[in-house]
């Protein structure tokens, strides 16, 4: 997934400023999850009528001593520069940047039925061998596939679903021409 310049710029700045970018990424992960789960907390920061100073006070009271100073200062910078709404995208861009530097690729796997851990492990090993990178697989179940799986990462898609197979068969049948003079009877 590719992000706009703002999240990428702030993610790069945090990675550079942090003595442990992985720790900052984990802290941002926790913070983003809090904003996802706690709607009142999220609404407080999304409300334009709430003064910036009040938002800063809540950030300090909530996170001071619980996260690194670098991450806390980063949150305050985002707030002061009006970029706090990009927090989730910055977090994703930071994960992407750290994965790129470590030679890891995050892939989404949709399947039906759900793949067990053994099958996921085999798939991970096949992808690693083929693309010469470590893979982090995020698996989900999708009944619309009828059977099989679809793997998506970067700009690639590997579609081994029954839905896709049936679509190809249908297309082949529609494109094939019947010989002239052939009559079908019931």
């Amino acid at each position: 997934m590719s992000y706009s310049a703002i999240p990428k710029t702030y993610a790069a700045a945090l990675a550079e400023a942090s003595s442990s970018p992985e720790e900052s990424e984990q802290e941002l992960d926790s913070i983003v999850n809090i904003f996802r789960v706690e709607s009142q907390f999220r609404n407080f920061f999304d409300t334009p009528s709430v003064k910036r100073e009040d938002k800063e006070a809540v950030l300090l009271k909530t996170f001071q001593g619980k996260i690194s100073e670098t991450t806390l200062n980063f949150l305050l910078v985002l707030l002061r520069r009006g970029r706090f709404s990009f927090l989730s995208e910055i977090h994703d861009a930071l994960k992407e940047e750290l994965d790129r530097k470590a030679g890891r690729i995050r892939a989404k796997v949709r399947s039906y039925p759900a793949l067990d851990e053994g099958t996921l492990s085999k798939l991970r090993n096949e992808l690693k061998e083929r693309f010469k990178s470590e893979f982090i697989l995020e698996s989900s179940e999708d009944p619309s596939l009828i059977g099989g799986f679809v793997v998506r990462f970067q700009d690639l898609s590997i579609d081994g679903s029954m839905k896709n197979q049936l679509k190809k068969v249908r297309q082949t049948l529609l494109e094939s021409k019947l010989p002239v003079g052939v009559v079908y009877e019931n």
Side-chain angles (χ1 to χ4, degrees):
M1 186 176 295
S2 187
Y3 298 95
S4 74
I6 292 171
K8 282 183 179 180
T9 301
Y10 280 92
L14 178 59
E16 191 174 313
S18 178
S19 59
S20 174
E22 289 78 14
E23 179 185 355
S24 294
E25 188 275 321
Q26 289 173 350
E27 291 172 342
L28 279 186
D29 188 49
S30 298
I31 293 164
V32 167
N33 283 331
I34 290 170
F35 277 93
R36 269 191 209 119
V37 173
E38 300 295 333
S39 61
Q40 287 182 325
F41 197 63
R42 180 181 60 246
N43 291 340
F44 174 79
F45 283 93
D46 288 345
T47 305
S49 61
V50 176
K51 294 178 186 172
R52 188 185 80 216
E53 295 80 18
D54 294 338
K55 292 178 183 181
E56 286 179 18
V58 168
L59 274 180
L60 289 169
K61 184 177 180 184
T62 306
F63 296 115
Q64 196 163 34
K66 297 175 183 154
I67 61 175
S68 68
E69 284 296 314
T70 304
T71 304
L72 182 58
N73 288 335
F74 180 74
L75 294 175
L76 292 170
V77 167
L78 290 179
L79 194 58
R80 291 175 186 145
R81 295 195 177 197
R83 302 295 194 206
F84 206 77
S85 62
F86 287 98
L87 185 61
S88 181
E89 290 87 356
I90 292 167
H91 172 247
D92 291 341
L94 180 62
K95 280 196 301 189
E96 190 176 272
E97 178 65 17
L98 294 177
D99 286 345
R100 186 186 62 74
K101 286 181 178 178
R104 293 183 303 250
I105 297 173
R106 288 183 190 269
K108 295 192 183 296
V109 179
R110 294 182 305 128
S111 64
Y112 189 77
L115 300 178
D116 60 37
E117 196 53 46
T119 306
L120 281 173
S121 181
K122 286 179 187 175
L123 178 59
R124 187 179 298 110
N125 290 336
E126 285 293 324
L127 291 168
K128 177 181 179 181
E129 186 177 310
R130 183 168 180 192
F131 294 98
K132 308 296 185 232
S133 292
E134 289 294 322
F135 275 80
I136 299 171
L137 301 179
E138 297 172 15
S139 178
S140 64
E141 189 174 47
D142 184 355
S144 74
L145 297 177
I146 304 170
F149 64 89
V150 177
V151 180
R152 292 185 191 272
F153 59 96
Q154 296 168 339
D155 292 336
L156 298 174
S157 178
I158 301 170
D159 194 335
S161 67
M162 287 300 296
K163 181 179 180 179
N164 188 48
Q165 302 280 332
L166 291 171
K167 186 172 140 183
K168 286 179 181 178
V169 168
R170 180 179 185 272
Q171 190 63 35
T172 302
L173 289 173
L174 288 174
E175 290 174 356
S176 66
K177 295 183 180 182
L178 294 175
V180 178
V182 174
V183 178
Y184 291 97
E185 296 180 20
N186 285 339

